[in-house]
Amino acid sequence: MANKGGRTTVKRQLAPVFWDINRKQGRFILRTHPGTHSKKYSYSLGVLLRDILKVTKNMHEAKKIVDAGKVKVDNVIRYNIHFAIGLMDTIELISSQKIYRLVPKNSLLLDPIEINDNEKILKLLKIKTKNIIKGNKIQYGFHDGKTILSEAIYSVGDTCLVKVPELEIIDTLKLQSDCLAILTRGDNAGSIGKIQEIKEGTFSLPKRVIMSVDSRLLEIPIDMIMVVSDPNNNNPKIKVNE
């Protein structure tokens, strides 16, 4: 009989390259379920607790913590150890009162940094899609799979500072010259620089930006950056590095 429940594990050697795990310790590791972030750019909640944050010694302990409702993701209790955790997600460990945000850091795609309690309700969301739906309303789709309806006019590539879990937009950071952006992928992941110029896409090239990063000028596709401040601010709106 076929397995209708789907696979719960993946071979360690086939896990995403950025996963900071021991590839030779056992054959399988917990699979990330689809839903929010792409499996290529996310950790499963169980792997994050055991292998990255190291708050449990094994997956059995991780499952007990999650089943008991002691872990919040973006201020919502999650009960699935396969739940995908990705860019800018906040993870709150209720028992220890520790709160982390996953950010790109030191060329790593995702790395947890500890944040204060007053920041756990704030999240940066990059607009990935924009569609007009019935009633002339605009539906915006964010990088973590969330969507909202709004009458405000934003552009794909802009970043919204939102309050979670309500998805209330507090501020909008437009993709424009002189604003700060963080590189989310690639060899320079985690670096923050100022956007000097925006280049429109062509048939063979995507839309991209010229950024100054550590006294260097880099040409980066907009898909690999996230705006973290407006031109009038030299610091990110929320903590995205240490």
Side-chain angles (χ1 to χ4, degrees):
M1 182 178 292
N3 183 355
K4 296 183 179 180
R7 294 181 180 274
T8 60
T9 59
V10 64
K11 288 184 178 179
R12 283 177 177 262
Q13 299 297 332
L14 299 179
V17 175
F18 75 90
W19 279 25
D20 188 15
I21 58 175
N22 186 338
R23 304 275 167 172
K24 297 182 179 180
Q25 181 182 340
R27 188 179 180 188
F28 295 99
I29 196 166
L30 200 69
R31 178 186 290 269
T32 300
H33 280 178
T36 51
H37 299 274
S38 165
K39 66 179 181 181
K40 294 190 299 182
Y41 307 125
S42 61
Y43 279 111
S44 59
L45 181 54
V47 170
L48 182 72
L49 294 174
R50 184 191 65 184
D51 299 277
I52 310 305
L53 296 177
K54 301 186 187 302
V55 295
T56 66
K57 294 180 180 179
N58 52 57
M59 199 56 68
H60 178 70
E61 291 180 1
K63 191 174 189 308
K64 284 184 65 176
I65 291 175
V66 173
D67 287 347
K70 295 182 179 180
V71 180
K72 286 185 178 181
V73 179
D74 288 346
N75 230 23
V76 175
I77 295 176
R78 297 296 180 182
Y79 296 96
N80 183 2
I81 59 173
H82 297 274
F83 188 81
I85 312 294
L87 182 65
M88 296 299 167
D89 284 356
T90 58
I91 300 90
E92 180 179 1
L93 308 177
I94 297 175
S95 297
S96 64
Q97 298 183 330
K98 295 280 189 179
I99 308 166
Y100 301 90
R101 176 176 290 122
L102 281 187
V103 299
K105 178 183 169 187
N106 298 332
S107 300
L108 291 176
L109 196 69
L110 296 173
D111 199 50
I113 59 172
E114 193 166 350
I115 60 174
N116 297 326
D117 184 72
N118 60 350
E119 277 206 1
K120 71 179 182 181
I121 63 170
L122 299 177
K123 184 177 181 179
L124 292 174
L125 291 174
K126 182 178 178 179
I127 297 176
K128 301 287 285 187
T129 60
K130 177 181 178 181
N131 297 296
I132 306 296
I133 64 173
K134 187 176 181 180
N136 276 334
K137 293 182 179 179
I138 305 176
Q139 183 184 56
Y140 295 100
F142 297 115
H143 76 271
D144 67 347
K146 295 182 176 66
T147 61
I148 64 165
L149 296 178
S150 176
E151 296 179 353
I153 305 299
Y154 309 124
S155 300
V156 172
D158 292 347
T159 299
C160 294
L161 177 64
V162 303
K163 182 179 179 182
V164 290
E166 301 92 336
L167 284 188
E168 174 189 345
I169 296 179
I170 300 172
D171 197 3
T172 306
L173 310 174
K174 292 192 173 297
L175 178 64
Q176 57 186 317
S177 297
D178 295 328
C179 65
L180 292 181
I182 187 169
L183 278 75
T184 57
R185 301 202 302 275
D187 293 339
N188 297 290
S191 297
I192 295 178
K194 181 167 287 190
I195 295 178
Q196 304 293 325
E197 181 185 353
I198 299 175
K199 292 188 173 183
E200 294 300 322
T202 65
F203 179 78
S204 58
L205 290 173
K207 187 174 181 179
R208 55 213 187 279
V209 299
I210 304 295
M211 286 179 60
S212 60
V213 179
D214 298 330
S215 302
R216 296 174 296 158
L217 288 180
L218 304 178
E219 186 170 320
I220 309 291
I222 65 166
D223 206 38
M224 294 174 59
I225 66 164
M226 174 183 281
V227 180
V228 294
S229 82
D230 53 49
N232 300 318
N233 196 338
N234 290 322
N235 295 304
K237 283 286 184 178
I238 59 176
K239 185 177 179 182
V240 295
N241 58 4
E242 288 183 319

